[in-house]
Amino acid sequence: MAASILVAGIGNMFLGDDGFGSEVVRQTELLRDDTAVRVIDYGIRGMHLAHDLLEGWDTLILVDAVPNRGSPGTLHVFQADFQADQAYWPSATGMDAHSMDPATVFARLRALGGSPPYTVVVGCEVGSVEEGIGLSEPVARAVPRAVRAVEEIVAALQIPAGAASVRKEC
């Protein structure tokens, strides 16, 4: 039986590089009608993602901008543990219906009686999250690499158990 995989692009396209996740999902060539894989641009609709996660997905691939650690455009691919990974999303507070902070989304999911699935993050260090539409040059250059990473992760997850592994960093 194939694993069910939700690929979620998140971010605010009106805040520069925060729109990274949405752009990656827009460019992915994964089949949009595959019943085992759903690809959605959630934008800033955190509540929508929390409710969709109640459907019992085996895996969530979260595509998002991550804070700048000195190298805008650097990709980070890792298995998420939002209790331990607060450095990636340090503002996990509140329950704003439009918040896309992953820890907040998972808190809402738990409040609704669900639990987060196995989660892989494909994140890109931002250059700028100032108001404006469009990605900075280093982040825009990372989009094709992120698209390939998402497609490779989906392919690896569709291989029978024990035959695939997911990279921790790119």
Side-chain angles (χ1 to χ4, degrees):
M1 181 172 143
S4 61
I5 303 167
L6 176 60
V7 179
I10 63 174
N12 187 336
M13 65 179 258
F14 297 110
L15 295 176
D17 291 342
D18 193 50
F20 170 79
S22 295
E23 183 62 21
V24 170
V25 165
R26 187 181 71 74
Q27 290 190 28
T28 188
E29 294 187 17
L30 294 170
L31 295 174
R32 303 291 173 151
D33 60 352
D34 184 338
T35 58
V37 179
R38 189 182 310 163
V39 180
I40 299 176
D41 175 8
Y42 284 93
I44 60 170
R45 297 171 296 145
M47 190 65 105
H48 184 182
L49 175 56
H51 280 270
D52 282 356
L53 288 172
L54 289 171
E55 295 176 19
W57 295 94
D58 295 317
T59 301
L60 170 65
I61 300 174
L62 198 58
V63 187
D64 194 9
V66 297
N68 185 339
R69 293 195 166 91
S71 298
T74 299
L75 287 181
H76 298 272
V77 179
F78 57 95
Q79 179 180 339
D81 175 352
F82 288 104
Q83 302 303 328
D85 294 331
Q86 290 300 306
Y88 281 95
W89 295 278
S91 63
T93 60
M95 289 292 188
D96 178 356
H98 294 286
S99 176
M100 272 314 300
D101 178 283
T104 302
V105 170
F106 286 162
R108 172 54 69 191
L109 173 63
R110 286 184 189 99
L112 293 168
S115 60
Y118 171 74
T119 301
V120 177
V121 176
V122 176
C124 181
E125 287 187 36
V126 298
S128 173
V129 289
E130 298 297 319
E131 285 187 24
I133 298 174
L135 302 176
S136 66
E137 188 175 324
V139 173
R141 282 194 313 262
V143 169
R145 292 190 326 267
V147 168
R148 280 191 307 276
V150 168
E151 292 170 352
E152 289 171 3
I153 293 165
V154 168
L157 290 168
Q158 291 178 323
I159 295 172
S165 65
V166 176
R167 295 174 288 173
K168 287 287 194 180
E169 291 284 328
C170 283

